[in-house]
Amino acid sequence: MPGFNMEQYSPYMSEADLAHAILKAAGAPLYFRDLLEQVMAIKPVSGRDREHIMAGIHTDLNLDGRFIHVGKGVWGLREWMHDRKAFQYEHDEELDN
């Protein structure tokens, strides 16, 4: 992914802060699973199963006002969504192809 350099992120950052930094570097919304994989590559979590980790990060994204669910499992940054309906329509067509 362009702009993604694991060394620029700290494993001491929260999962939400990492997700925010990763999305900011990507410059575009990402599928939740892709975002999760990148967060987990930087901040490996032991002692919890994958489903528990996924649920926790998903909850963090839902509760954190910096993020917005674009649709079809895709998350972006609220600061990008000036006109969410126009973005959703354009992006949904791209995902259907």
Side-chain angles (χ1 to χ4, degrees):
M1 171 175 90
F4 183 73
N5 177 358
M6 279 184 37
E7 289 81 38
Q8 72 188 27
Y9 306 105
S10 168
Y12 299 106
M13 296 169 72
S14 71
E15 286 90 354
D17 287 342
L18 282 170
H20 184 269
I22 290 165
L23 284 168
K24 194 98 165 158
L30 295 172
Y31 282 102
F32 176 72
R33 292 217 181 245
D34 295 337
L35 184 57
L36 175 72
E37 291 298 324
Q38 292 178 35
V39 168
M40 297 298 295
I42 298 162
K43 186 172 184 165
V45 180
S46 60
R48 294 188 288 172
D49 60 39
R50 184 172 178 77
E51 289 76 26
H52 186 231
I53 295 164
M54 257 178 37
I57 293 174
H58 193 268
T59 298
D60 289 345
L61 296 183
N62 275 307
L63 295 176
D64 191 319
R66 297 177 293 176
F67 302 97
I68 190 162
H69 182 252
V70 177
K72 296 185 180 183
V74 178
W75 286 85
L77 297 178
R78 184 169 300 277
E79 64 193 61
W80 297 337
M81 307 300 154
H82 301 293
D83 183 1
R84 184 174 179 207
K85 286 184 181 180
F87 180 82
Q88 250 185 320
Y89 175 75
E90 180 181 305
H91 200 68
D92 283 350
E93 284 184 359
E94 183 180 300
L95 294 175
D96 289 340
N97 294 328

